């Protein structure tokens, strides 16, 4: 037996001596989605910035369990020297019963540790003042090191002589926390105390409430850390309505939050039991972090192997791996598949690695990708931040909150993306790592990598802009402003669009701001110029044009600020003006009435509306429709849901233009209306859609068009997992990017050549200069057209990269002239909407314009093909 194996065996044997309670099998409660969010920056960020994204995901929680964790803490905020923070364990104990504080300290703290500092964490005086119904526990924090004699005795007794002494100290701290929890929590009916966290440079706090209430109650608004994570909703298993059962959970030097529920919870517990590990809080989230700790600290697997053990690579993705990686992964799966979490789950992990002097934020999704997730990255001159959340709107809320205080940050990320669990391309996991910059000044840098260690980054050499610079005295001095004014006076909207698209490539930020400021001023002259201004700025917002050395996110920030200014300048509905525009927000909803005079467009500022329920913007819009409003500009979204829903049948004369961070379920059940989303959209869009037109100038999230029955839909970017599942009737959909997996599963849309439905997947994206390029793989996932019985998929795949292994019940067949005549009108509309040229961008391959049947392939249900042959 090697020294490593001996150490592992001795660690596990030592744990066998710990008192424990056999994990019972318990039914999950209220299965469903949680709200998880996190970010990691190269500079410390105040705790109040985890507040807004947490608040905006209340509809993913229930107020019965929430928590936060911070990593890379500020020594000055804790009142200790930096070397103490880095060397000592931050042991945090939650006391539910004040009478046991002295007892706990006398048994599990004072005799075992040298204590540098101990103190009760400050709290607000009245917990009910922030809406809490259950008083959170008093939390004491202890900065400790294991006493040398105690550690030596522990090493001798457990035969850990060959183990690194610091790692042996980690094991002692972990086992001591287990004993404390067993005595004062797990073995009792009435709980008295439990360990929240015991890591170096990591802190966890949780309450029976919402996540942001933990930051409020424990006075963390100004407390700074490099990384923060949060979780809304009590666990699906374990002790509910109890702070001990809320997320995050701690392993050793990490904190983990989890959205989902394990179908094999008992099997995972049995796997842990075989290694003498016994969960105490009885929730699947706890077992998740125990698995992580086992693989990381006991087996000492590299992060890639930990991810593989948790989310194994299977099927065609496994076949696509290099042979040497297949060999390693096959061994990992043979040892750990029985302990791999099964069912819907998504993890966000914040951890400190004191042995390599780095901190990490990690997002891992399950191989079936059954829970939503969005990653984002922003890289600026001297600040960088990585983010991962259940919803994109929570990412935007985080950036907006930070950017409002620190203008080095932008409220728009440079890059957004989804992960595909278990994939051979990115592994379904991404890591944001903070380490020393190497400049010798103590500064940090952020590195973003996928599971395989490949770097993810934004375009190099680009600069950002501080939008707070005052340009009020510069407008009349700029030649560009005069040119824009002259073009507006000619009413040549197409010419203005072409001019601005080309000029925004070469102009610097200041000139772009001046041009947009001029457009704002022109919009004030009359409704005609206002309509032109909105159309122009929307075009610039939607189209992907070259930005030269400028960050596209900064250009978008300028454009969107101008759009917001123009929208907000619309006459308030209570003023009864003669404009075609009428503005309404939550404060003015009492003035809602039908359109009068020239009024045609209701401008809805959704910012202060609730995301759903009786006071949401969707309910107000529904009422406005009954009063006669047919055209809507909706902006200021912060995740508000159900836009366009509930208007009933035959809404053909209704149009929505939606800006900013819209929420889930948009366009669900619509019957005839037209909705344009000017940016990325979120999950569950277009569900059971019957008729209408739906255009998204960006990506869409999970379960897009679930159960849809019809409609004409155009997506500029990608769809995440499970689009068009169980769709029937005749939906006609163009997706210019790709889908991550399970596209059109159980599709039942008849024969497309006889009025049925279909999906076109173009498999393209845009390079840094705004040029259309092919994706590496037109469709990377599995189960393409799985179990479909009708309809078709027209896949742009000139190199035939998609193979039979991607399919499940579908078959490839040639695209006929009839097929091309069917889809060509939709590709022409796609060209009109997004500027994606059929001839040069879609049919031209390596410089040659090819026939349509050499570029596109058709996927049909096997049963439909057999019927056709017969």
């Amino acid at each position: 037996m090697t020294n490593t194996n001996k150490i592992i065996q001795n660690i596990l044997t030592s744990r066998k001596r710990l008192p424990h309670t056999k994990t019972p099998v318990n039914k999950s409660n209220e299965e469903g989605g949680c709200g998880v969010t996190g970010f990691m920056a190269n500079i410390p960020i105040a705790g109040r910035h985890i507040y807004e994204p947490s608040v905006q995901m209340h509809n993913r929680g229930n107020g019965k369990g929430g928590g936060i964790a911070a990593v890379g803490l500020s020594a000055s905020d804790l009142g200790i020297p930096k070397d103490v923070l880095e060397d000592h364990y931050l042991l945090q104990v939650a006391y539910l019963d004040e009478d046991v504080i002295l007892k706990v300290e006398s048994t599990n703290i004072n005799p075992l540790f040298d204590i540098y500092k101990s103190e009760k964490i400050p709290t607000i005086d009245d917990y009910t003042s922030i809406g809490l119904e259950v008083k959170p526990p008093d939390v004491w924090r202890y900065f400790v090191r294991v006493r040398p004699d105690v550690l030596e005795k522990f090493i001798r007794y457990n035969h850990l002589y060959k183990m690194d002494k610091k790692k042996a100290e980690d094991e002692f701290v972990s086992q001591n926390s287990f004993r404390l929890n067993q005595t004062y929590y797990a073995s009792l009916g009435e709980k008295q105390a439990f360990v929240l966290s015991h890591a170096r440079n990591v802190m966890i706090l949780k309450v029976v409430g919402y996540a942001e209430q933990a930051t409020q109650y424990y006075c963390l608004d100004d407390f700074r850390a490099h990384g923060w994570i949060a979780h809304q909703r009590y666990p699906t298993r374990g002790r509910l309505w109890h702070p001990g059962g809320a997320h995050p959970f701690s392993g050793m030097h990490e904190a983990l939050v989890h959205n989902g529920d394990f179908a094999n919870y008992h099997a995972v517990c049995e796997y842990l039991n075989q290694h003498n590990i016994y969960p105490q809080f009885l929730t699947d989230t706890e077992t998740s972090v125990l698995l992580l700790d086992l693989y990381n600290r006991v087996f000492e697997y590299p992060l890639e192997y930990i991810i593989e053990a948790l989310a194994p690579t299977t099927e065609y993705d496994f076949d696509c791996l290099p042979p040497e990686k297949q060999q390693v992964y096959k061994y990992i799966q043979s040892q750990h598949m029985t302990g791999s979490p099964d069912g819907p789950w998504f993890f966000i992990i914040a951890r400190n690695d004191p042995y390599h002097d780095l901190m990490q934020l990690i997002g891992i999704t399950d191989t079936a990708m059954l829970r939503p997730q969005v990653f984002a990255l922003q890289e600026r001159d001297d600040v960088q931040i990585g983010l991962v959340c259940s919803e994109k709107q929570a990412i935007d809320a985080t950036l907006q909150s930070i950017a409002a205080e620190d203008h080095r940050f932008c409220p728009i990320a440079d890059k957004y993306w989804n992960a595909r669990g278990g994939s051979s391309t990115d592994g379904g996991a991404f890591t944001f790592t903070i380490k020393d910059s190497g400049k010798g000044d103590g500064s940090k840098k952020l590195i973003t990598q996928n599971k395989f260690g490949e770097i993810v980054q934004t375009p190099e050499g680009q600069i950002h802009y501080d939008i707070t610079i005052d340009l009020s005295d510069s407008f009349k001095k700029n030649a560009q402003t005069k040119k824009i004014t002259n073009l507006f006076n000619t009413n040549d909207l197409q010419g203005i669009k072409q001019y601005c698209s080309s000029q925004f490539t070469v102009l610097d930020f200041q000139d772009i701001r001046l041009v947009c400021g001029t457009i704002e001023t022109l919009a004030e002259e009359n409704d005609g110029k206002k309509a032109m201004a909105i159309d122009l700025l929307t075009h610039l917002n939607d189209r992907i044009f070259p930005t030269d050395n400028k960050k596209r996110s900064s250009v978008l920030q300028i454009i969107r600020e101008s759009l917001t200014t123009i929208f907000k300048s619309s006459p308030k509905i209570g003023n009864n003006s003669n404009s075609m525009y009428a503005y309404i927000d939550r404060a003015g909803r009492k003035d809602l009435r039908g359109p009068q005079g020239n009024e045609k467009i209701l401008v809805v500022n959704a910012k202060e509306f609730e995301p759903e329920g009786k006071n949401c913007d969707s309910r107000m819009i529904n009422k406005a429709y009954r009063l006669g409003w047919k055209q809507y500009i909706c902006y200021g979204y912060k995740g508000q849901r159900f836009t366009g829903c509930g208007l009933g049948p035959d809404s053909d004369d209704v149009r929505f233009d939606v800006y900013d961070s819209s929420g889930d379920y948009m366009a669900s059940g619509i019957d005839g209306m037209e909705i344009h989303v000017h940016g990325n959209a979120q999950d569950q869009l277009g569900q059971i859609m019957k008729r209408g037109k739906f255009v998204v100038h960006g990506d869409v999230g999970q379960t897009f068009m679930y159960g849809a029955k019809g409609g004409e839909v155009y997506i500029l970017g990608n769809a995440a997992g499970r689009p068009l599942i169980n769709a029937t009737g005749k939906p006609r959909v163009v997706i210019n990017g790709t889908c991550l997996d399970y596209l059109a599963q159980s599709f039942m849309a008849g024969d497309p050549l006889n009025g049925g439905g279909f999906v076109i997947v173009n498999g393209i994206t845009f390079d840094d200069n705004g040029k259309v390029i092919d994706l590496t793989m037109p469709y990377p996932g599995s189960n393409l057209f799985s179990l479909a019985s009708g309809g078709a998929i027209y896949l742009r795949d000139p190199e035939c990269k998609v193979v039979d292994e991607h399919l499940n019940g579908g078959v490839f067949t040639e695209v006929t002239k009839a097929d091309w005549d069917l889809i060509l009108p939709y590709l022409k509309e796609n060209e009109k909407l997004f500027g994606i040229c059929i001839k040069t961008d879609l049919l031209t391959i390596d410089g040659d314009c090819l026939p349509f049947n050499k570029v596109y392939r058709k996927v049909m249900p096997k049963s439909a093909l057999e019927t056709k042959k017969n």
Side-chain angles (χ1 to χ4, degrees):
M1 184 181 291
T2 65
N3 287 336
T4 300
N5 288 338
K6 285 181 180 179
I7 292 171
I8 292 173
Q9 187 59 50
N10 290 341
I11 291 172
L12 298 178
T13 299
S14 71
R15 295 180 180 182
K16 190 174 184 179
R17 305 185 185 102
L18 294 171
H20 65 269
T21 303
K22 183 69 174 177
T23 304
V25 180
N26 67 324
K27 183 181 181 296
S28 64
N29 292 272
E30 285 198 27
E31 295 183 12
C34 310
V36 291
T37 183
F39 61 86
M40 180 74 74
N42 71 319
I43 63 170
I45 303 291
R48 59 180 164 273
H49 298 301
I50 199 69
Y51 181 96
E52 191 62 29
S54 300
V55 169
Q56 289 184 201
M57 290 195 293
H58 273 197
N59 45 24
R60 286 187 170 273
N62 52 20
K64 311 305 180 187
I68 60 96
V71 61
L73 314 177
S74 168
S76 59
D77 290 346
L78 290 165
I80 59 172
K82 184 179 179 182
D83 61 334
V84 172
L85 173 63
E86 294 175 349
D87 291 342
H88 284 62
Y89 297 86
L90 173 51
L91 174 62
Q92 293 199 149
V93 181
Y95 291 107
L96 305 162
D97 181 353
E98 293 182 358
D99 294 338
V100 302
I101 295 178
L102 293 178
K103 187 176 180 182
V104 169
E105 290 181 341
S106 66
T107 57
N108 290 85
I109 300 176
N110 294 336
L112 308 176
F113 296 102
D114 289 327
I115 303 171
Y116 178 85
K117 182 180 182 181
S118 66
E119 61 183 353
K120 179 183 175 183
I121 294 183
T123 66
I124 62 173
D125 294 332
D126 180 10
Y127 66 92
T128 64
S129 67
I130 57 172
L132 288 171
E133 298 178 7
V134 179
K135 184 181 182 300
D138 290 333
V139 177
W140 281 72
R141 57 187 173 208
Y142 309 87
F143 293 93
V144 301
R145 292 294 301 268
V146 181
R147 290 174 50 181
D149 58 321
V150 173
L151 182 58
E152 289 297 331
K153 182 178 179 181
F154 175 77
I155 291 172
R156 288 197 308 272
Y157 184 71
N158 294 296
H159 306 288
L160 300 176
Y161 311 106
K162 298 185 181 297
M163 188 176 183
D164 180 283
K165 195 169 247 187
K166 285 189 175 181
K167 294 181 179 180
E169 189 176 11
D170 286 349
E171 182 63 20
F172 179 89
V173 172
S174 176
Q175 291 194 19
N176 179 67
S177 293
F178 185 94
R179 292 179 187 275
L180 191 159
N181 289 337
Q182 188 64 31
T183 302
Y184 297 100
Y185 184 91
S187 64
L188 301 178
E190 190 68 27
K191 311 306 176 188
Q192 296 177 322
F194 62 92
V195 175
L196 283 160
S197 53
H198 49 212
R200 290 189 177 115
N201 218 344
V202 179
M203 173 184 71
I204 294 175
L205 292 166
K206 42 195 182 181
V207 298
V208 177
Y210 288 106
E212 73 280 357
Q213 290 171 321
T215 67
Q216 291 174 295
Y217 182 73
Y218 292 109
C219 304
L220 296 176
D221 277 2
D222 296 316
F223 188 90
R224 295 169 298 158
H226 281 277
W228 292 87
I229 62 174
H231 176 270
Q232 296 288 35
R233 201 175 176 278
Y234 61 51
T236 47
R237 299 178 183 272
R239 297 183 177 96
L240 310 181
W241 285 70
H242 192 285
H247 309 192
F249 280 90
S250 175
M252 185 63 232
H253 296 300
E254 60 276 314
L256 181 147
V257 294
H258 163 217
N259 174 17
D261 178 53
F262 294 175
N264 63 337
Y265 169 70
H266 182 60
V268 174
C269 289
E270 286 295 311
Y271 174 83
L272 290 168
N273 293 169
Q274 292 168 13
H275 294 86
N276 298 323
I277 300 170
Y278 296 90
Q280 297 173 304
F281 297 89
L282 311 183
T283 167
D284 46 6
T285 308
E286 179 196 18
T287 64
S288 308
V289 81
L290 292 175
L291 285 171
L292 175 67
D293 186 59
L294 174 67
Y295 300 149
N296 176 52
R297 196 163 54 84
V298 181
F299 296 157
E300 296 191 340
Y301 287 171
L303 182 58
E304 177 188 343
Y305 295 175
I306 294 173
I307 296 169
E308 178 62 24
L310 293 171
T313 310
T314 59
E315 299 179 335
Y316 187 63
D317 279 292
F318 187 88
D319 297 337
C320 291
L321 294 171
E324 60 275 12
K325 201 172 285 292
Q326 288 186 20
Q327 184 176 1
V328 175
Y329 283 13
K330 190 178 295 184
Y331 179 79
I332 292 172
Q333 292 180 19
S334 70
Q335 298 299 309
H336 304 303
M337 184 70 81
T338 56
S340 296
D342 187 20
W345 59 264
F346 175 64
F347 300 152
I348 299 180
I349 303 157
R351 74 169 182 171
N352 176 41
D353 184 347
Y355 301 100
H356 298 94
D357 191 25
L358 55 84
M359 297 164 284
Q360 292 179 315
L361 179 73
I362 308 165
I364 311 173
T365 190
D366 68 78
T367 53
M369 215 179 90
L370 288 164
R371 284 291 180 263
Q373 36 70 26
V374 184
F375 292 81
L377 175 63
Q378 185 173 117
E379 296 178 311
R380 302 266 146 166
D381 299 333
D382 53 353
V383 294
Q384 306 100 43
I385 186 169
L387 310 96
V388 55
C389 297
S390 298
E391 300 179 7
K392 173 186 173 290
Q393 57 93 1
I395 289 176
D396 291 341
T398 305
L399 290 173
Q400 288 164 12
S401 177
I402 297 172
E405 292 186 6
D406 187 339
H407 300 300
R408 292 176 295 175
F409 291 91
C410 178
I412 303 167
D414 298 330
K415 182 181 180 68
Y416 299 89
W417 72 95
N418 299 102
R420 186 170 65 84
S423 74
S424 59
T425 51
D426 59 41
F430 291 87
T431 302
F432 302 104
T433 300
I434 300 293
K435 58 171 59 177
D436 187 83
S437 67
K439 297 179 180 178
D441 57 0
S443 61
K444 305 288 185 182
K445 65 179 179 180
L446 180 142
I447 300 172
T448 306
Q449 297 169 289
N450 65 21
K451 170 185 174 181
F452 306 117
E454 297 163 341
I455 300 294
V456 177
Q457 62 186 29
T458 58
E460 294 182 309
Q462 292 191 330
I463 59 174
H464 74 282
Y465 184 63
D466 182 357
I467 203 163
T468 63
I469 295 174
D470 184 10
L471 301 179
S472 58
D473 295 331
S474 305
F475 284 110
K476 294 181 180 179
K477 300 177 183 179
N478 189 281
Q480 298 296 333
T481 63
K482 296 178 181 178
K483 178 71 173 179
I484 291 295
T485 301
N486 291 335
L487 286 170
F488 259 77
N489 289 333
T490 66
N491 294 318
D492 181 8
L493 182 58
Q494 192 59 36
I496 302 173
K497 288 179 179 179
Q498 293 174 355
Y499 175 78
C500 286
S501 294
S502 62
Q503 289 300 302
F504 275 31
T505 300
V506 297
L507 293 178
D508 61 23
F509 282 122
Q510 179 169 312
D511 282 342
I512 291 175
R513 283 256 332 261
L514 291 171
V515 168
C516 287
T518 301
I519 295 171
E520 292 173 27
T521 302
L522 290 167
E524 296 174 1
E525 293 184 8
N526 56 60
D527 283 350
K529 288 188 177 180
K530 182 170 184 173
M532 288 179 61
I534 292 173
D535 197 332
L536 169 61
L537 291 172
T538 299
H539 174 82
L540 295 170
N541 176 79
D542 294 346
R543 289 296 173 92
I544 303 176
F545 53 83
T547 58
D548 194 38
N549 68 332
K550 302 180 291 293
K551 288 277 188 182
R552 176 169 172 79
S553 56
S554 284
V555 176
L556 287 175
Q557 183 184 8
I558 295 169
I559 293 169
R560 292 176 185 178
E561 291 265 351
S562 289
L563 277 167
T564 297
T565 298
I566 293 172
F567 295 152
K568 199 167 186 179
S569 68
S570 301
K572 292 184 178 180
I573 195 168
N575 293 349
N576 298 318
S577 76
N578 200 37
S579 171
M580 64 186 291
Y581 299 91
Y583 171 93
I584 192 168
D585 54 22
R586 183 173 182 180
R589 65 181 299 167
K590 63 183 183 300
D591 298 322
L592 180 64
R593 52 163 175 76
Q596 299 176 356
N598 293 325
E599 291 176 339
K600 293 182 179 179
I601 302 172
L602 189 62
V603 180
V604 180
N605 182 353
K607 186 174 182 180
E608 301 302 328
F609 282 91
E610 294 180 6
E612 59 188 23
K614 64 180 181 180
N615 293 319
C616 71
D617 63 298
S618 179
R619 291 280 188 97
M620 189 274 292
I621 290 171
N622 195 287
K623 184 178 179 180
Y625 173 69
R626 310 300 168 193
L627 291 170
W629 292 97
K630 301 295 181 67
Q631 190 168 344
Y632 304 87
I633 290 175
C634 302
Y635 79 101
Y637 275 104
K638 301 194 304 179
Q640 284 85 353
R641 298 177 166 188
F642 303 108
T643 303
C645 299
L647 271 60
D650 303 321
S651 57
D652 298 68
D653 52 355
V654 174
R655 171 166 172 148
F656 284 84
D657 283 275
V658 178
Y659 300 80
D660 303 318
S661 298
S662 57
D664 296 347
Y665 300 103
M666 178 188 293
S668 292
I670 66 173
D671 186 4
M673 73 177 65
E674 189 169 333
I675 300 181
H676 293 250
V677 182
H678 302 288
N680 289 344
Q682 290 200 163
D683 304 318
Q684 290 98 26
L685 307 184
Q687 294 198 354
I688 60 170
M689 179 178 177
K690 184 178 180 182
R691 286 190 312 117
K693 186 175 183 180
F694 189 26
V695 181
V696 179
H697 294 265
D699 300 331
V700 297
Q702 292 274 71
T703 56
F704 163 63
M705 293 190 76
Y706 177 91
K709 298 173 176 60
E712 189 175 319
V713 182
Y714 301 87
I715 309 300
L716 174 62
N718 301 317
R722 290 172 166 74
L724 289 126
I725 288 182
N726 292 335
T728 185
K730 54 176 183 179
R732 275 74 187 292
V733 181
V734 180
I735 300 172
N736 285 290
T738 188
C739 310
L740 294 185
D741 65 0
Y742 290 97
L743 170 60
Q745 183 181 29
S746 301
F747 204 58
M748 300 172 283
D751 182 355
L753 295 177
N754 289 299
F758 59 82
V759 185
I760 302 171
V761 179
N762 282 329
I764 60 173
T765 186
F766 296 85
D767 66 13
D768 296 340
N769 294 315
K771 180 183 177 182
V772 171
I773 58 173
D774 291 348
L775 290 168
T776 304
M777 173 63 75
Y779 179 83
S782 60
N783 289 292
L784 176 64
F785 226 36
S786 173
L787 307 177
S789 60
I793 294 175
Y794 296 99
L795 182 66
R796 183 178 173 276
D797 184 17
E799 297 181 18
C800 297
K801 292 181 178 179
V802 181
V803 297
D804 289 338
E805 285 83 353
H806 287 98
L807 309 179
N808 183 4
V811 290
F812 290 108
T813 184
E814 186 177 6
V815 177
T816 66
K817 179 66 165 55
D819 289 312
W820 183 246
D821 289 343
L822 172 67
I823 68 174
L824 185 58
Y826 297 92
L827 292 176
K828 287 181 177 178
E829 179 65 14
N830 186 69
E831 180 175 330
K832 179 181 175 183
L833 290 166
F834 303 131
I836 297 170
C837 179
I838 298 171
K839 181 178 180 180
T840 59
D841 294 327
L842 298 180
L843 295 182
T844 298
I845 310 297
D846 295 330
D848 296 323
C849 185
L850 302 181
F852 62 83
N853 57 359
K854 299 296 182 183
V855 176
Y856 284 88
R857 306 167 73 192
K858 183 178 181 180
V859 183
M860 293 179 60
K862 186 181 296 184
S863 57
L865 183 63
E866 292 172 353
T867 301
K868 185 177 179 180
K869 288 179 179 179
N870 294 333

